[in-house]
């Protein structure tokens, strides 16, 4: 009887596996057929030169340092079920499109469409803003239009020569804030025992589990760097709009009096006090754009080219035997292998091994955008970078929005560190934390008992932590912290007494970090690449972006999405854009998987 039941379940399991495999193979077969069809449909006739048009900068997704690969089957499933997936926009592609359009005689201006742009770090906005400044040097018009502008959208819109706003809209400026929830009272009521091991009085990650409010040190740090970011925001926007910073963001009482003069109309307020240049409905804004750039072939809009489409038409960069390797490291730092929004140590090591083995690579530039993570994984990456340096390959770090805690660890011994003024960095400290439930379970009448060959084996969430083991863990954390300080002291040439004052978990802006020696120069990714070339006295070079190595199955899928093929598919297959971002991802990795339970992580840095 049991054998029969077992056979029935085995039959159904094999059937389900067969159906799953059949569907996957049919999907891949469909892709192959579509590729062949698209390539055979590409016209061999000479391509007509592009007509003059404006560059449309539609920033309707999360702006990232590098777009991540996503699971194609999961993406297709989301499309079929009507689920939305977060769109990603490559920051450096946006900058490249703006810079190329600046010197392109066929690009007559630039239109900023920012209404769907989600909240974005100020550092990324500043990088795009600098590109817009360079574009304006060409004397080509820049026009921005939206139904309303949130604070981050308005930052970029302020660079426009003509800033349009819907008459029913508003400019929503509020300032910056950062709040965290604190759980001490809840933990006490539940009778949970929290075990925290840390070094650094300013290392505030664990405070929500120990306190009901922020410590004075943590609040002081937060206030200092947030005030710097907000001041930089106001100065930039005020300068772009030729207004005083106080006029741009008045005190609440003054703001209320101003609003009364326009009967509370946010759009009229923005126009009257110089936040925008003109109020225009969508139809009126479209006509302004048509009058400026001409109408398109269909006669229903202005003559324009989307920046992503424009990028596909740009010629490839000239090749060179001298290459500078670029590695983008964004997300939390974890152990193992992975590609989805994490810096997975084994994946990054594989990329660095490519640079180590390639004789044409003369320098490595690592773009770091990370709040930190596993201390062990951070050291694996930093150590591999040091091996490159010992081989004679210079390592230059370019910090993005955040390079704090573990993000600073992997950067600390580079030959040169670049940061933006608004980069969040530092947070040099280590912690370990876990909870035990012995008291909470006892209240429920649940007890734990058993046998262990040593007190050190008595680690369980169901019983108290042995005192000796707690001391051992704390010693281990302190040792890791001393290693961190020693690495930074040696890498940055900072004496240990001064290093101890800079560390303690304190968070610094890029400007602060330059002043105290944690970074060497202020600049963006291009500055870092140029510096790497100068280190090797390279007159000509090619930037080679190193991607994680793919297995054969991943390579086959990825080949469907190379730029030239994607352009052919987009042209010849309806709705190809629904699956144009498909690619394979590696298995997911847990965010906190350090083998020793030690982390160098900055929680409050993630949102900036």
């Amino acid at each position: 009887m049991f054998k029969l039941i077992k056979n029935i379940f085995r039959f159904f399991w094999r059937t389900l596996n067969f159906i799953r495999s059949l569907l996957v193979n049919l999907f891949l077969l469909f892709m192959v057929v579509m590729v062949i069809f698209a390539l055979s449909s590409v016209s061999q006739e000479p391509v007509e030169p592009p007509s003059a048009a404006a560059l449309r900068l539609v920033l309707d997704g999360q702006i990232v340092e590098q777009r991540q690969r996503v699971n194609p089957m999961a993406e297709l499933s989301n499309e079929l079920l009507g689920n939305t997936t977060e769109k990603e926009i490559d920051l450096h592609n946006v900058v490249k499109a703006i810079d190329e359009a600046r010197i392109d005689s066929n690009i007559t201006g630039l239109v900023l469409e920012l209404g769907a742009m989600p909240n974005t770090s100020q550092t990324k906005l500043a990088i795009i803003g600098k590109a817009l400044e360079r574009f304006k040097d060409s004397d080509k018009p820049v026009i921005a239009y939206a139904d309303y502008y949130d604070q981050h959208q308005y930052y970029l819109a302020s660079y426009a020569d003509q800033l349009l706003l819907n008459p029913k809209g508003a400019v929503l400026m509020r300032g910056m804030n950062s709040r965290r929830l604190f759980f001490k009272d809840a933990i006490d009521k539940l009778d949970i025992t929290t075990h925290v091991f840390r070094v650094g009085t300013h290392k505030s990650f664990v405070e929500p589990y120990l306190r009901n409010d922020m410590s004075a040190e943590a609040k002081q740090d937060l206030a200092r760097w947030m005030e710097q970011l907000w001041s930089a925001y106001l100065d930039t926007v005020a300068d772009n709009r030729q207004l005083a910073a106080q006029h741009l963001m008045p005190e609440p009482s003054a703001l209320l009096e101003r609003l009364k003069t326009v009967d509370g109309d946010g759009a009229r307020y923005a126009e009257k006090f110089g936040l925008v240049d003109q109020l225009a409905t969508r139809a009126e804004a479209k006509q302004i754009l048509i009058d400026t750039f001409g109408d398109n072939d269909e006669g229903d809009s202005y003559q324009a080219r989307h920046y992503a489409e424009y990028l596909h038409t740009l010629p490839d960069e000239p090749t060179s035997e001298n290459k500078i390797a670029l590695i983008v490291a964004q997300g939390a730092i974890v152990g193992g292998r992975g590609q989805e929004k994490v810096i997975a140590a084994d994946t990054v090591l594989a990329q660095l091994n490519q640079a180590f083995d390639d004789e044409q690579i003369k320098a490595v530039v690592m773009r770091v955008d990370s709040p930190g993570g596993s201390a062990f994984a951070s050291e694996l990456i930093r150590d591999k970078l040091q091996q490159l340096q010992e081989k004679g390959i210079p390592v230059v770090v370019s910090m993005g929005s955040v390079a704090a805690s573990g993000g600073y660890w992997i950067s600390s011994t580079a030959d040169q560190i670049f940061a933006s003024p608004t980069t969040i960095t530092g947070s040099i400290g280590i912690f370990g934390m876990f909870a035990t439930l012995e008291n909470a379970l006892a209240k429920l009448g649940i007890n734990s008992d058993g046998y262990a060959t040593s007190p050190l084996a008595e680690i369980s969430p169901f019983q108290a932590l042995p005192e000796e083991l707690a001391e051992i863990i704390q010693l281990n954390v302190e040792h890791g912290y001393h290693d961190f300080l020693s690495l930074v002291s040696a890498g940055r040439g900072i004496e240990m007494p001064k290093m101890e004052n800079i560390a303690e978990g304190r968070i610094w802006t890029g400007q602060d970090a330059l002043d105290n020696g944690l970074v060497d120069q202020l600049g963006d990714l291009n500055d870092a690449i140029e510096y790497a070339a100068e280190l090797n006295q390279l007159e000509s070079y090619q930037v080679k972006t190193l991607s994680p190595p793919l297995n054969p199955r991943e390579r086959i899928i990825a080949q469907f999405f190379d730029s030239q093929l994607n352009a052919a598919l987009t042209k010849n297959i309806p709705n190809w854009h629904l699956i144009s971002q498909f690619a394979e991802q590696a298995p997911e990795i847990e965010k906190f998987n350090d083998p020793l339970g030690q982390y160098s992580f900055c929680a409050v840095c993630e949102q900036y």
Side-chain angles (χ1 to χ4, degrees), residues 408 412 417 428 484-503 508 512-520:
Y408 189 80
S412 59
I417 299 178
I428 298 170
F484 197 170
L485 258 61
S486 299
L487 288 171
V488 178
S489 175
R492 299 292 97 213
I494 301 174
E495 295 293 331
M496 205 60 165
K498 182 181 178 182
M499 190 66 248
E500 290 172 350
N501 291 328
I502 295 172
W508 306 101
D512 286 338
L514 177 67
D515 295 337
N516 62 33
L518 290 180
V519 307
D520 299 299

Side-chain angles (χ1 to χ4, degrees), residues 354-408:
Q354 293 180 54
F356 195 90
D357 297 333
D358 190 339
E359 295 300 325
Q360 291 187 332
I361 289 179
K362 308 304 181 184
V364 170
V365 174
M366 178 167 279
R367 177 71 169 178
V368 179
D369 192 6
S370 172
S374 164
F376 182 76
S378 299
E379 173 56 17
L380 287 177
I381 296 170
R382 188 212 62 81
D383 181 64
K384 190 64 183 182
L385 290 170
Q386 187 171 4
Q387 291 178 39
L388 286 165
Q389 292 171 289
E390 291 169 353
K391 188 184 177 183
I393 301 175
V395 173
V396 178
V397 165
S398 170
M399 293 181 170
S401 302
V402 177
S405 295
Y408 189 80

Side-chain angles (χ1 to χ4, degrees), residues 471-496:
E471 292 181 10
I472 289 172
I473 295 173
Q474 179 63 37
L475 275 174
N476 196 256
V477 169
E478 290 174 4
H479 175 74
Y481 177 68
H482 183 268
D483 281 351
F484 197 170
L485 258 61
S486 299
L487 288 171
V488 178
S489 175
R492 299 292 97 213
I494 301 174
E495 295 293 331
M496 205 60 165

